[in-house]
Amino acid sequence: MKRKREEEKSKANDSNSNGNGNGNGNSNNNMEIVWQTPANPPVKEDYIFRDGRFQVKNRWAGKTIVDLFAEEFKGRPYDYYVSAVKCGRIQVDGEMVPVSYTVKSSQKISHFLHRHEPPVMAWDVSVLQKEPDVLTVCKPPSVPVHPCGQYRKNTVVGILQAEHDLAPLFPVHRLDRLVSGLLILARNASKADLFRQQIEAGKVIKRYIARVNGVFPEGEQVVDVNINYNASAGRSTAESGDSLGDTPLKGKAACTKFTRISTNGTHSIVLCEPITGRTHQIRVHLQYTGYPIANDMLYLCEHVTHREGMSADRAAAYSHHSPPPVSSDKSESSSEDFSIDPMCTNCPNLAPKGYEGHEEGLWLHCVRYSGPGWTYECPYPDWATLSL
């Protein structure tokens, strides 16, 4: 049975700063949420989240403290936020306030809570090359690259800091959470900026491999079709047609080159070279060709039923794979290993709600990035070998 890397639970401080500017002298009308990495470095002995911080949107001003949290953070019931304000777990400028308190601009709002971080599969983040300015690793599937959503420490950046004492790290490119393969991280800001300039100038060649359904056609296949990402649905769609027509295309221009490497008559291994970098570009362009990634339930069919409380990818993976046998060893899941918070809406479960399902990585793997004077590669995964 696959093990899961799960974060210990501890009281943490989510600090929300309702400022009156965005750092460049402009008014607060242009404010946006900005996530920062955890203030405390991850270490093996203390793998918890602490001190996440972001700026508050201007629309929060004028709401009561309870209504603000109930409307903006729907993961907990209204009564929880009432109790949290009354007992001081939610504070304004470091002080307790009544439940009727109205939030003003330029205030710091702190929420002290019991954080449950989603589990990830416990595959190693293997270091491929370690240079003075660059680190390359083989990213396992299911692990996000950097803190996002509910993930803080269960990330490639966090794991590398905790297990290899490698920090700071600046991801040069992104891989979807369920995608595996080569990940390049700069070890200083100037090197990261150099990579960014080369990518934006189109000087970097990116190569992935995918295992798709069917016998993919021979010869290079070029898909030059716009992609429109729907954030609420968590998926992209290909838009074909004339951008000058009566109905203008909403998506962004996207182009991917595909070349078949091998096939066994049921599946094909395809080399994928994205020219642009849109969300789920390779996945949706393969779907557009009629040869979707063979275990990508999000794009195997046109419509996917989402499970409540789960992301689209998580729902897709859960619906496609049977859960593993339940272990009789309670050491990985027993609530005896961590403290129980009587006010926590997730306790006594270790994983947060909606993350109890089993999942596997996509058959999509980054194998090579090359630019002016440099090339980095990653070994092929086991699924890239087709049985006849």
Side-chain angles (χ1 to χ4, degrees):
M1 187 181 76
K2 294 185 178 70
R3 294 182 298 110
K4 290 184 178 180
R5 180 194 305 275
E6 299 205 51
E7 178 183 274
E8 295 180 18
K9 302 186 303 179
S10 174
K11 285 187 179 179
N13 177 2
D14 278 346
S15 300
N16 312 336
S17 299
N18 188 359
N20 59 358
N22 58 10
N24 59 4
N26 294 337
S27 68
N28 55 9
N29 293 331
N30 297 323
M31 292 178 63
E32 61 181 3
I33 292 179
V34 179
W35 285 101
Q36 297 180 3
T37 55
N40 61 312
V43 294
K44 291 182 179 180
E45 295 77 14
D46 189 24
Y47 214 61
I48 62 173
F49 168 71
R50 192 176 184 181
D51 284 339
R53 181 172 297 173
F54 57 92
Q55 288 186 319
V56 172
K57 289 188 176 180
N58 192 44
R59 68 171 183 266
W60 289 14
K63 293 185 178 182
T64 67
I65 188 69
V66 173
D67 287 345
L68 184 157
F69 275 90
E71 293 173 13
E72 298 288 341
F73 305 100
K74 301 179 186 297
R76 293 178 171 82
Y78 187 90
D79 290 344
Y80 166 82
Y81 292 119
V82 172
S83 299
V85 172
K86 287 182 177 179
C87 74
R89 290 199 177 189
I90 293 177
Q91 299 179 2
V92 178
D93 291 333
E95 302 289 341
M96 293 180 62
V97 296
V99 294
S100 59
Y101 183 84
T102 300
V103 177
K104 305 175 182 64
S105 63
S106 303
Q107 289 184 317
K108 177 181 177 180
I109 304 171
S110 300
H111 184 197
F112 299 86
L113 74 158
H114 210 221
R115 177 171 292 281
H116 294 239
E117 185 160 324
V120 297
M121 300 308 294
W123 289 304
D124 291 334
V125 179
S126 56
V127 175
L128 301 174
Q129 288 185 254
K130 187 176 179 182
E131 302 172 358
D133 293 331
V134 180
L135 179 76
T136 66
V137 302
C138 184
K139 173 193 172 301
S142 94
V143 183
V145 172
H146 51 69
C148 57
Q150 294 194 65
Y151 294 90
R152 289 295 175 273
K153 296 298 180 67
N154 280 341
T155 66
V156 173
V157 172
I159 292 169
L160 287 172
Q161 185 172 0
E163 298 186 355
H164 298 276
D165 196 26
L166 292 168
L169 295 173
F170 304 84
V172 170
H173 59 102
R174 60 185 176 87
L175 297 176
D176 289 344
R177 188 177 62 83
L178 295 181
V179 176
S180 59
L182 174 69
L183 180 64
I184 305 172
L185 304 109
R187 302 185 69 179
N188 55 68
S190 60
K191 189 66 174 181
D193 189 58
L194 177 60
F195 277 122
R196 178 190 60 79
Q197 293 177 27
Q198 293 178 355
I199 292 174
E200 291 180 352
K203 297 180 179 180
V204 176
I205 300 174
K206 301 163 279 186
R207 291 185 176 180
Y208 295 71
I209 58 168
R211 180 167 175 165
V212 305
N213 277 344
V215 179
F216 197 85
E218 291 184 320
E220 184 179 79
Q221 310 293 317
V222 180
V223 178
D224 193 356
V225 178
N226 283 24
I227 288 180
N228 184 28
Y229 179 64
N230 186 328
S232 60
R235 71 195 306 261
S236 295
T237 53
E239 293 184 331
S240 59
D242 186 359
S243 60
L244 301 178
D246 295 335
T247 304
L249 299 179
K250 297 180 181 178
K252 297 180 179 180
C255 181
T256 313
K257 297 178 181 180
F258 298 106
T259 306
R260 191 180 81 190
I261 297 175
S262 62
T263 184
N264 62 1
T266 302
H267 291 155
S268 298
I269 301 300
V270 178
L271 176 66
C272 315
E273 298 182 65
I275 307 304
T276 52
R278 310 304 181 197
T279 301
H280 296 179
Q281 176 174 316
I282 294 174
R283 299 165 67 181
V284 74
H285 273 178
L286 283 170
Q287 180 203 43
Y288 179 82
T289 66
Y291 301 90
I293 295 175
N295 71 340
D296 188 356
M297 291 303 293
L298 187 59
Y299 293 106
L300 272 172
C301 54
E302 195 65 30
H303 301 287
V304 177
T305 300
H306 295 178
R307 296 172 181 263
E308 183 177 357
M310 290 177 137
S311 68
D313 272 2
R314 185 172 292 279
Y318 186 85
S319 64
H320 185 57
H321 300 284
S322 300
V326 177
S327 172
S328 59
D329 182 4
K330 296 183 179 181
S331 62
E332 294 185 6
S333 59
S334 173
S335 62
E336 296 176 359
D337 294 338
F338 51 83
S339 61
I340 302 298
D341 185 344
M343 282 188 61
C344 181
T345 55
N346 277 305
C347 284
N349 299 317
L350 182 56
K353 293 178 180 179
Y355 288 88
E356 293 81 8
H358 174 64
E359 67 178 5
E360 293 183 6
L362 283 176
W363 286 341
L364 179 61
H365 186 85
C366 182
V367 294
R368 190 174 190 262
Y369 263 58
S370 60
W374 58 268
T375 298
Y376 296 108
E377 295 180 318
C378 184
Y380 280 26
D382 292 341
W383 54 255
T385 302
L386 297 177
S387 58
L388 300 178

